[in-house]
Amino acid sequence: MSIVVQKYGGSSVADVSRIRAVAARVMRTRREGHDVVVIVSAMGDTTDELLALAKQVSPNPDRRELDMLLTTGERISMALLSMAIRELGGESISFTGSQSGIITNDRHVDARIVEVRPFRVQDELARGRIVVIAGYQGVSYRREVTTLGRGGSDTTAVAMAAALGAAYCEICSDVDGVYTADPRVVPDARRIGTLAYEETQELAESGAKVLNAQAVEFAKDKGIAIYARATSSPLPGDDPSADGTVVRKYPPRMPGTVVGVASERETLLLEYGGRERERLLETLDTHRVAGKQLHQAGEQLTLVVSRENLHEEPRVRQALASQFGDAARLRDDLGAVSIVGAGINASFSTLRRGVAALASAGIPQDAVATSSFRITWMIARPKLDDAVRALHRTFLGVADRAGNAHGGPVGP
Ligand code: ADP
Ligand code: ASP
Ligand code: MG
């Protein structure tokens, strides 16, 4: 029997009736003859609510204690879903991340999975049971409970799929796949049927929440196909790209094709004009602040910090102010918007078109950075959604649909 791993996000298990609907979908999968492993996120906005609770007690919550708190969200959903499956006549058992063998490094709040030892999961599958696993969490080799960073249930699912040799990993959400932009921001965004790992990873790293970037990186490394689908859509048929998105290895598209636009609202721009760059970076590491798009020219260093997994901002601000004074400035008025596609910087034509599109929409550009897969602009936060729409219109409007195809799948 082939093993299928399914992950259901927070909105899919937000209340009891939705949990029942998920249980029914799991049972349908089981009746198709698969061994089923289900990963669940915390119900609805539980993780946000737990974080808000922690901040009421401490503005700089201790990272270990935060992990103890945040992991409870997924534990609630796993137990309720397992009960719901049993109500439908299924035999199921729930496990925490630790019980299911998710071993991580010892970095609290945004730990990385280093190994999966799924022995208990395999034993229960062999007994004919459906296994329900709490996403977003693991245990470090020091036996501390850890979490995998926001959106980390996707990573649990892909890691478990790889460890079990699953046929594919289904990521089920409130949206039926990966779109050319967030459909909440761009109403005429279109579902993308097939995406290569690298494209998906860049979209996720640029803020497209639908798939977690670390999960995609894992899938790429282990050759696991991801099917991004709506919880309300049917089980995958012969062509899962017809009603969802399939992420796997694909031959390249026409070079320079923009596949999507993504944005990240909650970013901080760190600007440093002093000479003690090494000490600055050390301070960021001490506080476990992850930065991206580091750029240095002359004495000026800039980098972008994502707020997603930064839960001790007052402490970080204080450390920067006391050690570097006015030389280090954190700008809190900008977000990032990116266009993504392989080879889009082979010439400057895509960059020039993007600059012109933003200018003609009256959107000032504070900074721009490029890589071989992406162009990112820093934009005043109130203009960010307008920027997403302007870039989508320019690169993914009706006239630009041609040339977006690539050939059939290659490799595993
Ligand atoms: P889940 O709780 O199921 O993990 P998330 O909220 O993490 O779901 O991700 C789904 C949301 O991601 C969608 O509701 C959608 O608004 C948002 N989103 C952002 N970018 C995209 C995109 N390119 N395609 C699809 N959804 C996107
Ligand atoms: N519940 C966690 C979060 O809200 C993990 C997840 O949903 O994937 O980030
Ligand atoms: Mg998610």
Side-chain angles (χ1 to χ4, degrees):
M1 247 190 330
S2 66
I3 300 175
V4 166
V5 174
Q6 299 177 331
K7 175 257 171 178
Y8 294 94
S11 52
S12 305
V13 292
D15 55 38
V16 168
S17 67
R18 285 172 219 235
I19 290 176
R20 286 206 182 101
V22 166
R25 195 174 187 280
V26 170
M27 289 298 283
R28 281 207 303 281
T29 312
R30 174 78 194 159
R31 280 195 296 271
E32 282 201 343
H34 299 288
D35 276 343
V36 193
V37 175
V38 188
I39 317 296
V40 276
S41 293
M43 294 170 71
D45 296 326
T46 301
T47 308
D48 288 330
E49 287 159 12
L50 291 172
L51 266 168
L53 203 56
K55 297 251 160 100
Q56 282 181 47
V57 176
S58 163
N60 297 297
D62 178 79
R63 295 170 74 92
R64 177 189 183 277
E65 302 309 328
L66 207 48
D67 278 350
M68 293 304 252
L69 180 70
L70 296 181
T71 47
T72 62
E74 271 68 13
R75 200 161 168 157
I76 293 172
S77 342
M78 78 180 200
L80 292 177
L81 179 61
S82 183
M83 290 175 201
I85 292 171
R86 285 175 168 269
E87 274 310 303
L88 296 180
E91 267 222 62
S92 77
I93 180 165
S94 66
F95 283 141
T96 63
S98 159
Q99 288 172 313
S100 45
I102 306 279
I103 315 295
T104 72
N105 63 7
D106 63 352
R107 188 173 157 121
H108 282 293
V109 173
D110 55 358
R112 285 188 72 93
I113 297 176
V114 292
E115 198 188 342
V116 181
R117 299 178 192 152
F119 309 120
R120 290 192 70 180
V121 177
Q122 286 163 324
D123 286 351
E124 296 298 339
L125 290 177
R127 285 193 187 106
R129 287 186 166 152
I130 295 164
V131 180
V132 182
I133 296 174
Y136 175 55
Q137 54 181 272
V139 64
S140 75
Y141 48 84
R142 296 183 185 187
R143 295 181 178 267
E144 290 288 356
V145 170
T146 52
T147 59
L148 306 176
R150 297 305 305 268
S153 297
D154 296 355
T155 315
T156 307
V158 173
M160 200 38 88
L164 296 172
Y168 55 85
C169 178
E170 234 187 308
I171 305 280
C172 302
S173 184
D174 56 354
V175 57
D176 61 347
V178 182
Y179 277 60
T180 48
D182 186 342
R184 291 180 208 238
V185 178
V186 183
D188 59 349
R190 299 180 312 279
R191 183 174 50 78
I192 312 169
T194 56
L195 269 175
Y197 291 120
E198 292 81 1
E199 297 167 337
T200 319
Q201 202 178 336
E202 291 284 338
L203 281 171
E205 276 167 12
S206 310
K209 255 178 74 185
V210 59
L211 288 176
N212 174 286
Q214 208 192 122
V216 182
E217 188 190 326
F218 235 93
K220 182 173 77 179
D221 284 353
K222 313 278 180 190
I224 295 287
I226 298 179
Y227 297 174
R229 304 176 68 75
T231 299
S232 56
S233 54
L235 299 177
D238 290 340
D239 178 11
S241 70
D243 55 357
T245 296
V246 176
V247 180
R248 57 181 296 169
K249 193 168 172 189
Y250 283 107
R253 290 175 216 270
M254 198 165 80
T257 310
V258 174
V259 290
V261 185
S263 68
E264 188 176 359
R265 181 167 295 273
E266 290 301 318
T267 59
L268 295 169
L269 185 69
L270 174 61
E271 297 174 327
Y272 178 65
R275 286 168 180 238
E276 295 179 279
R277 287 186 286 270
E278 171 56 30
R279 202 158 64 83
L280 179 88
L281 298 179
E282 195 184 322
T283 303
L284 295 178
D285 273 341
T286 306
H287 291 278
R288 304 266 193 265
V289 178
K292 48 190 175 186
Q293 282 176 50
L294 186 145
H295 178 78
Q296 190 197 317
E299 299 234 316
Q300 189 67 24
L301 180 143
T302 60
L303 61 87
V304 176
V305 174
S306 164
R307 270 216 174 102
E308 200 175 35
N309 293 309
L310 178 66
H311 305 303
E312 304 148 86
E313 194 176 316
R315 183 179 283 148
V316 171
R317 283 180 176 278
Q318 213 223 328
L320 289 174
S322 68
Q323 291 181 49
F324 305 99
D326 289 342
R329 198 158 73 104
L330 272 178
R331 283 189 64 180
D332 185 8
D333 58 337
L334 302 175
V337 60
S338 305
I339 55 176
V340 167
I344 62 173
N345 286 308
S347 80
F348 293 118
S349 69
T350 310
L351 175 62
R352 284 166 43 224
R353 262 179 94 193
V355 167
L358 293 171
S360 74
I363 300 168
Q365 304 149 44
D366 266 79
V368 60
T370 64
S371 75
S372 54
F373 263 90
R374 140 159 70 147
I375 304 174
T376 300
W377 287 269
M378 299 303 292
I379 303 278
R381 239 173 251 151
K383 294 272 187 190
L384 195 61
D385 287 352
D386 288 341
V388 172
R389 287 186 282 265
L391 291 169
H392 192 271
R393 220 173 17 251
T394 301
F395 292 104
L396 293 147
V398 180
D400 283 271
R401 289 182 187 192
N404 215 340
H406 47 206
V410 292

